[in-house]
């Protein structure tokens, strides 16, 4: 069942993508756990390809048992109604827009599409809420749509009318952060699932800085952050991360896995408390919380941060002179409930601050100096 209502939307020109969606997160991608859970038909091309990170490639004149191959989802012809694909988002979020991409589907693209949303796992009795009405699609192009912010959503259903192909389907919005129930429990304040977000960077030439906050350790250099080579004296690159919540920071984890000959020589970290989404990277208000330290190839580095009693909303990680990093973890505790329980994070034995425990994700290999 689908709840019918008047649905507002706005067509976004491709050149305005960064302006309209630059501050959002791709909620549907496989990189954060998005997955296809139901599909009506995938005779010519499998629906899982809708959620792939990499752009669609041309497979022209390449054939499989059922016909020509495509990088995307393609259904049989002559459907009397519509085909559909149900997708579980990587995390619950608030949806604000879509990219429905028909690249390389020319003559077999889906002519129209719509999108519905649900919070609970869908079944036959699920009441779907329409969030994007039926829109026209053209051949071999990206179609960007902005919608009013939805309620909390975990599942979306892409419907195509009557059948055809879609190369990629990307759902954009804002993560509903997941915080520890215990306010003094340390966690990664920069992680995408706790609301961390890259808000500024000096260079994304070889790999996007937003990859730094993804779950796990990835599969190769392609899902990390890598800047172009620089031959300028005293050059450095940097990335600014807005934490999911203001917090007290204790430990940083810098992971250079897969970067074996192109890792940075060193890095440092600064923190700031700011109401701005992206504080000025050159402001004098940034405080050094990790002085420059050497980095090595293909490994995890654990660093204790200074000023553990000071609140921060953002961190800026600078790498010298350039190179690649796979993941950044900023371990700390939430600021709001911090004061009364501070003694739980200190030790009276030597009067020094005690590093909070590291929450290690599955698949991490711990390598210490």
């Amino acid at each position: 069942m689908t709840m019918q209502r008047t649905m507002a939307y706005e067509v976004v020109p491709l050149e305005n993508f960064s302006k309209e969606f630059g501050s959002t997160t791709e909620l549907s991608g496989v990189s954060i756990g998005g997955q296809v859970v139901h599909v009506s038909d995938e005779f010519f091309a499998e629906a899982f390809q809708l959620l792939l990170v990499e752009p669609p490639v041309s497979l022209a004149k390449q054939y499989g048992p059922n016909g020509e191959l495509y990088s995307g989802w393609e259904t049989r012809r002559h459907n009397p109604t519509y085909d559909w694909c149900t997708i579980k988002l990587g995390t619950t979020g608030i949806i604000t827009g879509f990219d429905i991409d028909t690249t390389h589907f020319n003559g077999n693209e889906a002519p129209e599409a719509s999108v519905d949303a649900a919070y609970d796992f869908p079944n036959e009795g699920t009441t779907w809420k329409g969030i994007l009405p039926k829109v026209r699609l053209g051949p071999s192009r990206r179609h960007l749509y902005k919608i009013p912010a939805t309620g909390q959503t975990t599942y979306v259903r892409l419907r195509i009318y009557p059948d055809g192909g879609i190369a990629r389907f990307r759902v954009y919005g804002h993560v509903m952060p997941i915080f520890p129930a215990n306010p003094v429990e340390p966690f990664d304040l920069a992680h995408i699932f706790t609301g961390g977000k890259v808000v500024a960077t000096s260079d994304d030439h070889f790999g996007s800085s937003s990859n730094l906050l993804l779950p796990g350790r990835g599969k190769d250099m392609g899902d990390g952050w890598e800047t172009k080579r620089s031959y300028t004296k005293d050059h450095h690159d940097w990335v600014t991360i807005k934490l999911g919540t203001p917090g007290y920071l204790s430990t940083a984890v810098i992971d250079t896995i897969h970067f074996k000959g192109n890792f940075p020589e060193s890095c440092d970290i600064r923190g700031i408390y700011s109401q701005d989404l992206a504080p000025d990277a050159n402001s004098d208000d940034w405080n050094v919380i990790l002085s420059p330290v050497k980095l090595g190839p293909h490994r995890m580095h654990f660093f204790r941060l200074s000023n553990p009693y000071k609140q921060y909303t953002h961190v800026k990680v600078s790498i010298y002179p350039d190179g690649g990093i796979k993941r950044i973890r900023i371990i700390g505790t939430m600021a709001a409930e911090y004061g009364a329980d501070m003694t739980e994070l200190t030790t009276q034995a030597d009067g020094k601050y005690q590093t909070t425990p590291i929450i290690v994700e599955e698949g991490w290999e711990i390598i210490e100096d």
Side-chain angles (χ1 to χ4, degrees):
M1 181 187 302
T2 304
M3 184 182 299
Q4 299 294 327
R5 65 187 183 94
T6 302
M7 289 176 275
Y9 72 93
E10 175 186 346
V11 177
V12 176
L14 192 57
E15 59 269 22
N16 291 348
F17 176 85
S18 295
K19 175 184 175 182
E20 298 295 343
F21 298 117
S23 64
T24 65
T25 297
E26 184 183 339
L27 301 171
S28 54
V30 293
S31 60
I32 68 166
Q35 59 182 303
V36 170
V37 293
H38 294 126
V39 62
S40 62
D41 181 77
E42 48 187 351
F43 184 81
F44 289 111
E46 293 181 278
F48 79 89
Q49 298 184 97
L50 287 170
L51 311 182
L52 296 180
V53 174
E54 58 270 20
V57 297
S58 174
L59 301 173
K61 306 305 178 183
Q62 299 182 49
Y63 294 88
N66 292 345
E68 192 167 9
L69 302 179
Y70 281 88
S71 178
W73 171 45
E74 186 181 5
T75 67
R76 292 175 175 88
R77 297 188 184 215
H78 312 309
N79 191 331
T81 54
Y82 59 83
D83 279 310
W84 50 266
C85 177
T86 300
I87 295 161
K88 183 180 186 295
L89 303 178
T91 185
T92 299
I94 305 296
I95 298 174
T96 59
F98 309 95
D99 181 353
I100 305 178
D101 186 355
T102 59
T103 296
H104 303 306
F105 286 93
N106 189 341
N108 56 345
E109 76 281 354
E112 296 178 304
S114 67
V115 182
D116 309 313
Y119 179 77
D120 296 316
F121 186 83
N123 54 46
E124 292 183 359
T126 296
T127 299
W128 289 93
K129 180 179 181 181
I131 55 176
L132 179 70
K134 190 185 293 186
V135 292
R136 294 288 302 174
L137 303 178
S140 197
R141 56 166 292 188
R142 293 171 62 186
H143 307 76
L144 304 180
Y145 301 102
K146 184 178 179 181
I147 64 170
T150 67
Q152 294 187 32
T153 301
T154 309
Y155 296 88
V156 295
R157 180 176 63 178
L158 172 66
R159 292 195 280 181
I160 58 174
Y161 306 85
D163 47 50
I166 302 286
R168 297 290 185 269
F169 177 57
R170 307 193 191 280
V171 179
Y172 294 103
H174 303 286
V175 171
M176 293 300 298
I178 303 170
F179 298 127
N182 182 351
V184 298
E185 179 181 341
F187 68 103
D188 180 5
L189 282 77
H191 198 286
I192 190 172
F193 289 166
T194 60
K197 185 180 300 183
V198 169
V199 293
T201 184
S202 62
D203 178 44
D204 270 351
H205 189 79
F206 289 113
S208 174
S209 51
S210 61
N211 290 334
L212 292 167
L213 313 184
L214 295 177
R217 301 185 74 193
K219 61 179 182 178
D220 54 36
M221 289 191 300
D223 55 15
W225 173 47
E226 185 180 4
T227 67
K228 57 179 169 291
R229 293 187 187 224
S230 172
Y231 300 99
T232 304
K233 185 179 179 181
D234 298 328
H235 177 84
H236 72 280
D237 285 308
W238 52 269
V239 59
T240 301
I241 300 167
K242 183 180 185 298
L243 304 176
T245 182
Y248 297 88
L249 313 182
S250 60
T251 307
V253 183
I254 306 294
D255 191 357
T256 58
I257 189 172
H258 301 130
F259 291 96
K260 300 177 182 180
N262 49 352
F263 60 95
E265 185 272 337
S266 60
C267 76
D268 64 37
I269 303 178
R270 290 171 167 80
I272 195 172
Y273 191 97
S274 173
Q275 299 297 325
D276 296 332
L277 174 65
D280 181 0
N282 298 314
S283 170
D284 293 333
D285 294 332
W286 290 95
N287 299 314
V288 175
I289 55 177
L290 177 68
S291 298
V293 290
K294 294 285 187 180
L295 297 177
H298 192 57
R299 56 165 298 170
M300 298 178 70
H301 309 73
F302 297 83
F303 301 113
R304 179 178 298 183
L305 302 177
S306 60
N307 277 331
Y309 305 113
K310 188 175 179 64
Q311 291 186 31
Y312 294 105
T313 57
H314 299 72
V315 296
K316 184 178 76 169
V317 179
S318 298
I319 58 173
Y320 300 86
D322 51 49
I325 291 176
K326 178 55 73 74
R327 299 287 184 264
I328 295 174
R329 309 298 186 201
I330 303 295
I331 310 300
T333 55
M334 288 185 288
E337 304 291 337
Y338 194 85
D341 298 297
M342 191 62 205
T343 54
E344 294 191 25
L345 301 178
T346 59
T347 175
Q348 301 301 321
D350 57 7
K352 295 180 180 179
Y353 182 76
Q354 179 177 328
T355 305
T356 53
I358 299 293
I359 302 175
V360 179
E361 295 194 36
E362 182 179 357
W364 280 15
E365 177 185 1
I366 301 179
I367 308 173
E368 300 191 68
D369 290 327

